[in-house]
């Protein structure tokens, strides 16, 4: 039996980053194809349509986290996430900006919002996020967002790759991502500091590492589903979005 | 068997108000004593100390409601409640203002925040609010706040009665209540309109009326517990706050 000692905050930080280096969805072939301009318009549409469900559930997830946070101070910090995603007025916030992306890709907005074209596997993966923040400890609920440590990199790859490689993508269409480049680091600064401060036993540290792995799985599984349905073998499940043949 | 027909929005409105007229805690003898200046300082302290737990749980309750609201628009409207209670900065918001009230009444802030002096019955009643918003329908979650239809009246009675009758209470101490006189009507305008629009079957209308009754019970039970422990028979449970004898 090996002795499992408590990690220092720096060791925990490194262990978290090692999970990202091994499991974050920037490593997924679907992302790499997107970045490299190897997806068709229909495949990019399928990505945006499915990812809309993830975007839409983010504030619900964050409200669950809010129910777990004991102090006004912590809730105020977390509240900024609700504002980022739901906005301050009609047509603002991350969800509205994501719909500008699906608009820009030529998808019908009512169809996107109806969720009828969603891959079932997208729904299962996204829905698996809620129990992470609702049923585990508040510390794990906070830690589940730490994939944001790795998101500026994937976003910049995605944006520059898409602008460079796809005639059907404009900077305006990708407006969703610009604020995320500042929001995600701000959010992660707080969450990472919180986790490093509060995960003080090895059990807590293991739980934090586990929830980050689970969250990476949730992101990864969404790209698996897209890859399987729309790239190879290209088996679109009954009822799911079917791209127009170009 | 009587036929139970669907109520018109106005009939539903009247039925909601009838519940308030019969069951809202402005009718409770503890409130009436407070208003009429018949409580001792220790009894008012006990009220403020116990009610602090209710105040503290309100944003948790509202975050649960947020997890049930499907659109950014609804969540933005409900988010204002989080802001009201948690504030925008340290020392602002309803919880912080309630602590100014307990400060003003001469209670030690750390003792108040520790909840160690709470009546167990306060905890049970307040905790019963969470299932109303978490486990019932989103419509019922929204409707549970409709006691705010009746709150401006009890607040104005409470404030004027306390200022008039208690030398130990100042306008500054009661600063909690001033914003509530505008916040509660704004919140209730939305919630009442939402309930009248969405409770369209008799079953939904009955559920809405039931949840308002339950919410009235939660408020009423808090005053029962105070009355029993600190007025008559004056049996303070082991461990609960004991006022200094004046």
């Amino acid at each position: 039996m090996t002795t499992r000692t408590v990690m220092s905050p720096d060791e925990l930080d490194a262990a978290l980053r090692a999970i990202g280096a091994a499991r974050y969805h920037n490593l997924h072939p679907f992302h790499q194809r997107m970045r490299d301009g190897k997806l068709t318009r229909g495949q990019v549409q399928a990505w945006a349509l499915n990812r809309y469900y993830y975007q839409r559930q983010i504030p619900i997830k964050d409200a669950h986290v809010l129910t777990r946070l004991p102090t006004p101070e912590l809730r105020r910090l977390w509240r900024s996430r609700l504002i980022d995603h739901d906005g301050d007025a009609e047509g603002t916030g991350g969800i509205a900006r994501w719909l500008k992306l699906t608009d820009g890709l030529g998808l019908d907005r009512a169809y996107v919002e109806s969720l009828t074209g969603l891959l079932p596997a997208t729904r299962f993966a996204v829905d698996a996020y809620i129990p992470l923040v609702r049923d585990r400890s508040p510390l794990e609920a906070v830690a589940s967002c730490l994939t944001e440590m790795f998101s500026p990199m994937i976003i910049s790859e995605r944006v520059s790759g898409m602008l460079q490689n796809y005639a059907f993508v404009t900077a305006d269409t990708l407006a969703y991502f610009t604020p995320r480049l500042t929001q995600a680091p701000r959010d992660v600064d707080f969450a990472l500091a919180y986790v490093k401060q509060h995960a003080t036993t090895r059990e807590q540290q293991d739980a934090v590492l586990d929830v980050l792995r689970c969250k990476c799985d949730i992101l990864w599984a969404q790209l698996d589903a897209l890859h399987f349905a729309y790239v190879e073998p290209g088996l679109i499940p009954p009822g799911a979005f079917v791209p127009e043949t170009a």
Side-chain angles (χ1 to χ4, degrees), chain A:
Chain A
M1 241 175 85
T2 56
T3 309
R4 296 177 60 69
T5 53
V6 175
M7 289 181 265
S8 70
D10 282 352
E11 287 169 332
L12 179 59
D13 190 292
L16 290 164
R17 288 180 200 280
I19 289 173
R23 306 171 77 111
Y24 192 59
H25 62 166
N26 66 311
L27 302 171
H28 196 286
F30 191 89
H31 166 71
Q32 293 174 342
R33 282 180 189 237
M34 187 181 325
R35 178 198 62 197
D36 297 342
K38 294 187 179 148
L39 296 183
T40 64
R41 182 163 179 267
Q43 289 166 333
V44 175
Q45 285 178 323
W47 167 75
L49 174 87
N50 277 272
R51 171 97 182 188
Y52 166 71
Y53 183 58
Y54 181 72
Q55 300 301 136
R56 205 176 82 150
Q57 295 304 96
I58 291 290
I60 306 287
K61 178 275 291 183
D62 284 317
H64 277 290
V65 177
L66 279 171
T67 71
R68 318 288 305 281
L69 298 177
T71 67
E73 187 189 359
L74 289 171
R75 288 193 299 268
R76 280 195 301 268
L77 284 161
W78 211 268
R79 197 171 73 206
S80 63
R81 293 164 177 263
L82 286 187
I83 298 168
D84 291 344
H85 289 277
D86 283 335
D88 276 316
E90 193 63 30
T92 67
I95 298 173
R97 290 203 312 280
W98 197 270
L99 288 167
K100 285 177 195 149
L101 171 63
T102 57
D103 289 349
L105 293 170
L107 291 162
D108 178 71
R109 188 177 276 223
Y111 176 70
V112 174
E113 292 184 311
S114 76
L115 305 177
T116 52
L118 215 58
L119 294 168
T122 299
R123 191 183 287 272
F124 302 150
V126 172
D127 288 351
Y129 200 174
I130 301 295
L132 295 190
V133 296
R134 187 189 61 199
D135 304 335
R136 300 197 184 197
S137 67
L139 174 64
E140 290 161 274
V142 169
S144 68
C145 78
L146 289 178
T147 44
E148 287 172 340
M149 292 165 75
F150 322 121
S151 76
M153 183 246 306
I154 200 174
I155 289 176
S156 60
E157 273 192 8
R158 200 186 273 147
V159 168
S160 62
M162 287 175 83
L163 286 175
Q164 205 172 315
N165 293 304
Y166 300 112
F168 56 88
V169 169
T170 66
D172 196 45
T173 304
L174 297 181
Y176 170 79
F177 297 104
T178 317
R180 294 305 302 158
L181 291 169
T182 50
Q183 289 165 353
R186 176 208 64 199
D187 289 345
V188 93
D189 283 350
F190 162 67
L192 185 59
Y194 182 90
V195 163
K196 286 159 77 172
Q197 186 188 343
H198 289 88
T200 52
T201 70
R202 182 64 197 223
E203 288 68 29
Q204 288 170 330
Q205 294 175 338
D206 285 343
V208 155
L209 295 169
D210 182 64
V211 82
L212 182 61
R213 270 184 224 104
C214 291
K215 173 68 181 301
C216 285
D217 291 348
I218 285 168
L219 296 172
W220 190 275
Q222 290 176 63
L223 296 190
D224 274 357
L226 286 162
H227 201 94
F228 183 85
Y230 297 106
V231 180
E232 55 181 342
L235 279 176
I236 300 172
F241 171 69
V242 179
E244 290 171 32
T245 47

